[in-house]
Amino acid sequence: MTSNDQSILLESGTNELEVIVFNIGDGTFGINVMKVREIIQPLPVTLMPNSHPHVEGIIRLRDEILTVVNLSKTLGFAPSANPNGDKLIVSELNQMKVAFRVQHVSRIHRISWEQIEKPTDLSQGLEGMTTGVVKMDGQMVLLLDFEKVVLDISPEKGIHVQQVKQLGMRERQNKRLIIAEDSAILRKLLFDTLSEAGYDQITFFDDGQAALEYLEYLKNENQLEQEVDLLITDLEMPKMDGHHLTKRIKSDKELKSLPVIIFSSLITKDLFYKGQEVGADGQVSKPEIVKLIELIDRLIA
């Protein structure tokens, strides 16, 4: 499968996604189709000295050199019993392309973000590596946090306070931000970095539905202009994704003037137009925190 084969690209803002289901050991996992560029047979791997234990090495795919991450090692599963039957899921996230080795790929499922539950009650011990869990065809499918997998291997690709210091301090304490982000780690990083830039009046929500309900409450109480100047949203979140959240805000005659920035690892060339269609005022790819802050400055100056 390649990105050109994605004839099932969804209409923007429908709060749906399509998940490719795959197996590792006895576990069943999923990845958002929008992160997948193609699925290929394993290619010869060149070993890299002093690499991370979860990295097999690198491959050459046409004109690109890609890192291969072995998800069995990442998740603590036994090695594949049949390596020749494995697949490589070539993904694009955080402006990087990475090939993830899995043991079997089954099919694509279309689901709603409302079907995805937060992984707080999982008993498999993989809570820190998952973004959600959904029941499909009588089985529980764990949606892996591929961004965390990559950041654990390459922490320098993440968000760091040091990146913000070059901007210098400016007085922004009277500006109030709302952020919809389901990752607790990223919420902490965003608070630290935005506070360093002077934006320390932040209200966080861990899914888009909760953020929308808060905005509607403020609207009904005639407090919207006093309590929020701008909203930042991730794309992948349980209950309601960022595209649908943006569409709901921009379709509301009282909320539509609120600036909305999409801040996500999925801001690829293929997906940028979706954010435009739902009315986002700006889109920034993680982890470009300096660009995010500069865009906030422009929108609420």
Side-chain angles (χ1 to χ4, degrees), residues 156-173:
E156 71 278 3
K157 301 294 185 181
I159 296 171
H160 301 285
V161 173
Q162 291 80 1
Q163 297 169 301
V164 182
K165 292 185 182 295
Q166 62 181 287
L167 294 176
M169 285 299 294
R170 281 164 282 177
E171 182 58 51
R172 305 184 183 94
Q173 291 182 348

Side-chain angles (χ1 to χ4, degrees), residues 25-283:
D26 295 328
T28 304
F29 301 91
I31 180 172
N32 190 335
V33 165
M34 293 302 147
K35 292 181 178 177
V36 179
R37 300 277 70 84
E38 56 187 307
I39 298 173
I40 63 174
Q41 300 292 339
L43 297 174
V45 174
T46 300
L47 301 178
M48 296 294 291
N50 303 316
S51 61
H52 191 280
H54 300 164
V55 173
E56 288 188 21
I58 57 174
I59 60 172
R60 185 178 185 88
L61 182 60
R62 294 181 288 278
D63 294 327
E64 294 184 288
I65 303 297
L66 305 180
T67 299
V68 178
V69 175
N70 190 311
L71 286 183
S72 295
K73 292 182 178 180
T74 300
L75 301 176
F77 284 86
S80 175
N82 179 27
N84 292 331
D86 290 353
K87 301 290 185 184
L88 295 181
I89 298 179
V90 178
S91 302
E92 185 173 0
L93 58 155
N94 290 347
Q95 298 184 323
M96 300 171 54
K97 285 187 179 180
V98 181
F100 296 99
R101 181 185 287 272
V102 303
Q103 295 174 9
H104 175 69
V105 177
S106 56
R107 53 168 292 192
I108 295 175
H109 297 257
R110 178 178 291 192
I111 61 174
S112 167
W113 283 103
E114 294 179 354
Q115 296 174 246
I116 300 173
E117 299 295 331
K118 298 172 186 176
T120 52
D121 296 323
L122 296 178
S123 60
Q124 290 90 336
L126 294 173
E127 294 94 331
M129 301 299 296
T130 58
T131 59
V133 58
V134 62
K135 188 174 183 179
M136 298 181 193
D137 296 338
Q139 61 183 347
M140 303 305 289
V141 177
L142 305 183
L143 301 181
L144 282 183
D145 188 343
F146 286 89
E147 288 81 0
K148 185 178 187 304
V149 172
V150 171
L151 288 178
D152 285 348
I153 294 171
S154 301
E156 71 278 3
K157 301 294 185 181
I159 296 171
H160 301 285
V161 173
Q162 291 80 1
Q163 297 169 301
V164 182
K165 292 185 182 295
Q166 62 181 287
L167 294 176
M169 285 299 294
R170 281 164 282 177
E171 182 58 51
R172 305 184 183 94
Q173 291 182 348
N174 63 330
K175 301 300 183 182
R176 300 176 185 271
L177 309 182
I178 289 179
I179 299 180
E181 169 61 65
D182 65 327
S183 167
I185 294 173
L186 279 173
R187 289 197 297 270
K188 174 66 164 58
L189 288 171
L190 283 170
F191 180 79
D192 290 345
T193 50
L194 292 175
S195 295
E196 176 69 25
Y199 292 113
D200 57 2
Q201 300 297 312
I202 306 173
T203 301
F204 284 96
F205 296 94
D206 57 11
D207 65 69
Q209 179 66 46
L212 181 62
E213 289 174 355
Y214 180 65
L215 290 175
E216 290 177 337
Y217 165 78
L218 293 178
K219 179 183 71 173
N220 294 334
E221 296 294 319
N222 295 316
Q223 297 179 7
L224 187 66
E225 291 186 3
Q226 294 81 10
E227 296 297 328
V228 57
D229 294 288
L230 181 140
L231 180 138
I232 300 167
T233 181
D234 189 17
L235 284 183
E236 294 186 292
M237 296 179 290
K239 304 301 182 185
M240 183 182 292
D241 73 346
H243 280 147
H244 189 66
L245 172 61
T246 304
K247 185 176 183 179
R248 291 284 295 272
I249 291 171
K250 295 302 182 179
S251 300
D252 187 295
K253 65 179 181 179
E254 295 180 61
L255 297 178
K256 65 182 180 181
S257 61
L258 179 68
V260 176
I261 299 174
I262 295 175
F263 185 54
S264 170
S265 63
L266 288 178
I267 306 300
T268 63
K269 292 180 180 179
D270 293 336
L271 290 176
F272 189 83
Y273 81 95
K274 284 183 173 287
Q276 292 179 318
E277 284 186 346
V278 295
D281 296 278
Q283 301 179 74

